Amino acid sequence: MHHGADTRGEVDATLSAACAAGGRISAPAAETAEGYRGDFTDPDGFVWRVTAG
């Protein structure tokens, strides 16, 4: 699944909120060729990608 963020800060905040809600970071936020992004797995096992840029 995917969530589009407006800023790098929003990517970081979304990943932090996901962890606080019981999720697990599967790829820390970093700059990539596709923009700033990070991945997390939610408590139900769904993988999410959060991107900005």
Side-chain angles (χ1 to χ4, degrees):
M1 297 189 185
H2 179 259
H3 173 74
D6 292 325
T7 66
R8 291 172 59 125
E10 188 179 337
V11 171
D12 294 336
T14 301
L15 293 174
S16 292
C19 282
R24 177 181 54 83
I25 300 296
S26 47
E31 193 65 45
T32 71
E34 300 168 354
Y36 189 71
R37 74 177 194 200
D39 299 345
F40 71 91
T41 303
D42 71 22
D44 293 322
F46 293 99
V47 178
W48 289 79
R49 174 161 288 162
V50 184
T51 60

